[in-house]
Amino acid sequence: MSLPVEHSAAADEPAPHGPSAVGLRDAKLGGWYREDSGELFRGVPIGPGDVVVDVGCGAGVNSVFCARHGARVYAIDREPQVIREVRARLSVEGRGTHTTLVSDANPLPLDDGIATRVICTEVLQHVDDPRQVLAELFRVGAPGAIYLLSVPGALQETLQEKVLPPEYRELPGGALRVIGRDEFAQWIGEAGLVVVEHTQHGFFWSMWWALFWGCRVELHDPAHPVLDHWTAAWQALLDMPQGGQLKQQLDEFMPISQIVVARKP
């Protein structure tokens, strides 16, 4: 199965106490959206001199962050409606120049070595040939380019499958595979990239989604006491003096995403 990317959905100044707001706080503590330093994720600074290729851009939050920090952005997704929406967002919110492209990334409609930053988050689990897509990502990066790659955490994928209602199991767009931590790192190395950091994030969302399926509420209005209590509990945890350490330990145990920062030699 596949879940929306929680920190991306949360990055638009949501209501102060809802799950998106708590998720955004959690994401920033985990290394995402460092406005002061211009880092999309720690170790991935974005600036006016960068050319960013965002493959599988989805709602476009990562692309918008990069464009807002002055980068030249290529936002790519296989869904035409998604690209129309991202193009509109970039036109309003971005400061850098941008191009939006409809593509399944096999191959990417870009020249060799065009990018200084390559982003591909929560995509490889969906494609027929992840190694081929990684080869394309490698091709479009310039020497020294920094890569930000992520896939769902394997343990939480198993959890979601346990509680996912039957009517959702065969919907189009679901994941084709569960990718283990070692397998993910191996694929990246085989593509020719050097792993700089391999980390994880999002125990909060792993549990939130499992509870969401059990509550049987609508995604556009996920109001339910169980979800509200879980969100409040996590916010209280983050407020604790030892909250950051506990978050890190739980993220390591069952993250929503495993994240790799890599570099092209």
Side-chain angles (χ1 to χ4, degrees), residues 105-170:
N106 188 21
L108 286 166
L110 297 171
D111 293 336
D112 295 358
I114 193 174
T116 63
R117 303 287 185 266
V118 179
I119 303 166
C120 186
T121 55
E122 312 301 298
V123 171
L124 295 175
Q125 72 274 17
H126 293 296
V127 302
D128 291 333
D129 190 345
R131 288 181 173 86
Q132 176 59 31
V133 173
L134 281 166
E136 280 295 286
L137 299 180
F138 181 87
R139 180 183 66 80
V140 301
I146 298 174
Y147 288 68
L148 179 58
L149 311 169
S150 76
V151 296
L155 181 58
Q156 70 81 27
E157 287 282 89
T158 302
L159 172 64
Q160 307 306 332
E161 288 291 344
K162 292 288 187 183
V163 296
L164 188 69
E167 61 267 28
Y168 287 95
R169 294 183 184 276
E170 302 302 325

Side-chain angles (χ1 to χ4, degrees), residues 54 57 59-68 71 73-76 83-101:
D54 185 4
C57 62
V61 174
N62 293 337
S63 288
V64 168
F65 180 98
C66 296
R68 195 169 65 245
V73 174
Y74 291 85
I76 301 169
I83 285 298
R84 285 191 288 270
E85 293 170 0
V86 171
R87 184 184 303 126
R89 290 196 62 184
L90 286 167
S91 297
V92 172
E93 302 177 50
R95 288 196 299 113
T97 56
H98 62 269
T99 299
T100 53
L101 299 167

